[in-house]
């Protein structure tokens, strides 16, 4: 499939290239139609990416929300594995938004890594917990986190790291291919189709279906993204609407309108329930099994 050797230099100036070698993965799509790299295991050199990031003395933020029963259930493993695998050797700021506030486990942090804790309001419905993240993130990026970090990743907490997730993943804006949908034809993708919703995608629209469990970028790009999504969620709510996959639907609309500068292969956020796949070599994040009945009440 499409290899994109030039991978447009303008695109890559804000990207950490990690010496891209898309030809190393000829069996998968390594470039989007608009020229952004889709990175797969083996298609970059993690050590080169590491050096590029070290030279620029970056601070990388990672925002995580954990409210209700999620802190006790997921936070410790997420943070412990992040210490092993997320941006190892770089300065990292974890921004944990949690409720109750005492629920953050004590995790030993490496040098240059910090973990301030923010308290957030508890929402009544579970859909609202997930959707309120966009509003809260927007505010946070306008405050201290936005001034400290150069790049920020925003992640679901119900997952853990299982492999290196390093600076090769950084770019002006970064989207994650959804592991259940990356090989589906466009007309089957679960975009919001109600034309009245702010997240509406007409038939024929949509490049890929992205997973809201991982997205990232520069602070400026994420300010735009979170403003768009929080605005769309509020617009829908004022009309009594709720998009099919909540904040994820609005995120997909945003990335349709504003193409991401880098796309992460499903290896970066994989669901073990799918089982082994030849093209999935080394998963970086693994979803926790869904215990909906237990947690969604
Ligand atoms: C969410 C659903 C049902 C019950 C509880 C919660 C819940 C979510 C919660 O009680 N506490 C909490 O902190 N959360 C946060 O919201 C947490 O960060 C979690 O990872 C995130 C999204 O909820 P999650 O992971 O249970 O839902 P998923 O894995 O189906 O998420 C996808 O779809 C969501 C919208 O429905 C979001 O777009 C999410 O980013 C997607 O990965
Ligand atoms: Mn999740």
């Amino acid at each position: 499939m499409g290899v994109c050797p030039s991978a447009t230099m303008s695109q890559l100036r804000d990207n950490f290239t990690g010496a891209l070698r898309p030809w190393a993965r000829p069996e998968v799509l390594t470039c989007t139609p608009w020229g952004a790299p889709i990175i797969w295991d083996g298609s970059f050199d993690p050590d080169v990416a590491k050096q590029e990031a070290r030279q620029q003395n970056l601070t990388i933020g990672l925002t995580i929300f954990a409210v209700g029963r999620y802190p006790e259930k997921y936070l410790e493993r997420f943070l412990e594995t992040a210490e092993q695998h997320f941006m190892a050797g770089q300065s990292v700021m974890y921004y944990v938004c949690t409720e109750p506030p005492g629920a953050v486990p004590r995790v030993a942090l490496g040098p240059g890594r910090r973990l301030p804790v923010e308290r957030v309001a508890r929402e009544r419905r579970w859909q609202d917990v997930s959707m309120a993240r966009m509003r809260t993130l927007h505010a946070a990026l306008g405050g201290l986190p936005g001034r400290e970090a150069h790049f920020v990743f925003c992640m679901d907490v119900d997952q853990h790291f299982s492999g290196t997730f390093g600076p090769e993943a950084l770019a002006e804006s970064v989207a994650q291919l959804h592991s259940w949908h990356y090989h589906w034809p466009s007309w089957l993708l679960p975009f919001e189709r109600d034309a009245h919703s702010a997240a509406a995608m007409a038939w024929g629209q949509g490049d890929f279906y992205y997973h809201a469990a991982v997205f990232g970028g520069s602070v400026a790009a994420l300010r735009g993204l979170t403003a768009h999504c929080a605005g769309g969620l509020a617009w829908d709510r004022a009309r009594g609407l709720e998009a099919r996959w909540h904040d994820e639907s609005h995120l997909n609309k945003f990335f349709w309108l504003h193409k991401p500068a880098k796309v992460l292969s499903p290896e970066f956020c994989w669901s073990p329930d799918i089982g082994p796949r030849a093209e999935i070599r080394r998963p970086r994040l693994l979803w926790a099994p869904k215990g909906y009945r237990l947690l969604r009440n």
Side-chain angles (χ1 to χ4, degrees), residues 173 198-199 201 210 221-229 248-260:
S173 66
M201 302 275 283
Y210 303 113
L222 290 177
R223 281 279 287 176
L225 182 156
T226 50
H228 172 100
C229 294
E248 189 168 81
S249 303
H250 294 273
L251 181 84
N252 272 280
K253 179 67 178 266
F254 178 84
F255 279 134
W256 165 247
L257 298 172
H258 310 272
K259 309 294 190 205

Side-chain angles (χ1 to χ4, degrees), residues 114-182:
R114 286 181 296 146
L115 198 165
V117 176
E118 280 274 336
R119 197 171 165 183
V120 292
R122 188 188 289 239
E123 303 289 332
R124 218 164 35 84
R125 296 164 59 243
W126 68 260
Q127 294 91 337
D128 295 338
V129 170
S130 171
M131 291 190 290
R133 287 188 302 173
M134 289 295 182
R135 219 173 41 230
T136 311
L137 271 174
H138 185 74
L141 292 163
L144 190 62
R147 288 194 295 279
E148 284 174 327
H150 300 99
F151 292 97
V152 176
F153 269 97
C154 308
M155 293 189 187
D156 274 17
V157 72
D158 60 336
Q159 49 189 352
H160 69 270
F161 289 87
S162 56
T164 304
F165 196 117
E168 61 277 356
L170 298 175
E172 179 60 23
S173 66
V174 186
Q176 170 67 55
L177 291 181
H178 196 293
S179 61
W180 283 94
H181 304 301
Y182 68 100

Side-chain angles (χ1 to χ4, degrees), residues 19-284:
L20 280 179
R21 39 180 192 227
W23 53 87
R25 296 296 305 264
E27 85 286 20
V28 290
L29 189 68
T30 50
C31 187
T32 67
W34 60 94
I38 307 175
I39 62 167
W40 292 82
D41 186 68
S43 75
F44 55 85
D45 183 335
D47 295 329
V48 173
K50 227 174 179 173
Q51 276 166 24
E52 288 173 337
R54 288 294 323 145
Q55 275 158 13
Q56 304 205 25
N57 202 15
L58 297 180
T59 295
I60 300 151
L62 175 54
T63 67
I64 315 113
F65 283 73
V67 308
R69 302 188 52 188
Y70 275 36
E72 46 174 295
K73 188 133 204 276
Y74 300 116
L75 203 46
E76 187 160 10
R77 189 160 193 211
F78 181 94
L79 291 170
E80 273 177 356
T81 56
E83 273 304 288
Q84 293 173 294
H85 299 296
F86 181 76
M87 305 292 165
Q90 315 287 338
S91 353
V92 169
M93 294 283 293
Y94 297 99
Y95 304 105
V96 180
C97 300
T98 189
E99 160 64 40
V104 178
R106 250 179 235 138
V107 175
L109 300 179
R113 302 172 74 101
R114 286 181 296 146
L115 198 165
V117 176
E118 280 274 336
R119 197 171 165 183
V120 292
R122 188 188 289 239
E123 303 289 332
R124 218 164 35 84
R125 296 164 59 243
W126 68 260
Q127 294 91 337
D128 295 338
V129 170
S130 171
M131 291 190 290
R133 287 188 302 173
M134 289 295 182
R135 219 173 41 230
T136 311
L137 271 174
H138 185 74
L141 292 163
L144 190 62
R147 288 194 295 279
E148 284 174 327
H150 300 99
F151 292 97
V152 176
F153 269 97
C154 308
M155 293 189 187
D156 274 17
V157 72
D158 60 336
Q159 49 189 352
H160 69 270
F161 289 87
S162 56
T164 304
F165 196 117
E168 61 277 356
L170 298 175
E172 179 60 23
S173 66
V174 186
Q176 170 67 55
L177 291 181
H178 196 293
S179 61
W180 283 94
H181 304 301
Y182 68 100
H183 55 292
W184 287 16
S186 166
W187 61 273
L188 271 177
L189 298 176
F191 297 123
E192 175 56 52
R193 301 295 185 181
D194 177 353
H196 300 293
S197 168
M201 302 275 283
W203 296 102
Q205 294 185 331
D207 303 298
F208 302 101
Y209 190 81
Y210 303 113
H211 193 182
V214 175
F215 58 91
S218 71
V219 171
L222 290 177
R223 281 279 287 176
L225 182 156
T226 50
H228 172 100
C229 294
L233 287 158
W235 160 283
D236 278 12
R237 174 158 309 181
R239 286 158 185 76
L241 301 173
E242 189 163 273
R244 183 162 174 196
W245 286 107
H246 319 111
D247 46 308
E248 189 168 81
S249 303
H250 294 273
L251 181 84
N252 272 280
K253 179 67 178 266
F254 178 84
F255 279 134
W256 165 247
L257 298 172
H258 310 272
K259 309 294 190 205
K262 186 176 280 183
V263 174
L264 305 180
S265 79
E267 295 164 315
F268 282 79
C269 187
W270 183 246
S271 166
D273 288 345
I274 295 173
R277 283 276 169 81
E279 68 274 21
I280 305 300
R281 291 193 183 166
R282 207 176 323 186
R284 271 57 181 174

